[in-house]
Amino acid sequence: MSASPYIPHTQIPETSEVTCSTCAACCCQLEVMLITDTGVPERFIDNDEWGGEVMRRLDDGWCAALDRDTMRCTIYAVRPLICREFEMGAPECLEERRGIADIYR
Ligand code: SF4
Ligand code: SF4
């Protein structure tokens, strides 16, 4: 069999290195329930239809606590537990990055 000049499609990584610095804060569009009190300022807290506390989101879906110039969390030190546990590079993270891949291509 002759060597192919092409790299098989399956060997091309989907994206460059997965880090939050090469991401458009994709996971900050998810609904974030506040299940513990970490000190999130009131102005960023909303109630869902069942009365539970969630992070407030803007009309375009991103969390109200996200800095839209830097795409970084403005309340990082007091961010909700769910945000702390969302693991960079985990299947959920990759799924979110795929969802709005056009933004950082
Ligand atoms: S955890 Fe994943 S989806 Fe969230 S900002 Fe970091 S790289 Fe993007
Ligand atoms: S609190 Fe911070 S880390 Fe959590 S969704 Fe909002 S901007 Fe992202």
Side-chain angles (χ1 to χ4, degrees):
M1 189 166 65
S2 62
S4 166
Y6 300 108
I7 300 170
H9 188 65
T10 51
Q11 289 182 21
I12 301 173
E14 273 191 280
T15 63
S16 52
E17 187 189 0
V18 174
T19 76
C20 296
S21 59
T22 61
C23 181
C26 304
C27 57
C28 298
Q29 285 193 322
L30 295 171
E31 176 155 293
V32 174
M33 293 178 66
L34 303 185
I35 51 180
T36 59
D37 183 5
T38 57
V40 173
E42 281 292 326
R43 67 184 184 281
F44 294 131
I45 299 177
D46 215 346
N47 289 102
D48 64 16
E49 55 187 298
W50 298 280
E53 289 190 330
V54 294
M55 286 303 293
R56 192 163 68 79
R57 287 157 74 194
L58 305 181
D59 289 345
D60 61 9
W62 263 294
C63 175
L66 185 68
D67 182 318
R68 302 304 289 268
D69 293 324
T70 62
M71 298 306 266
R72 287 171 176 264
C73 179
T74 60
I75 56 162
Y76 192 77
V78 295
R79 69 197 186 285
L81 183 64
I82 285 178
C83 303
R84 294 162 199 250
E85 293 189 333
F86 195 93
E87 198 183 332
M88 186 179 75
E92 299 78 15
C93 160
L94 300 181
E95 180 68 27
E96 292 312 310
R97 286 174 65 101
R98 253 192 304 277
I100 53 173
D102 288 352
I103 284 183
Y104 53 88
R105 192 169 282 154

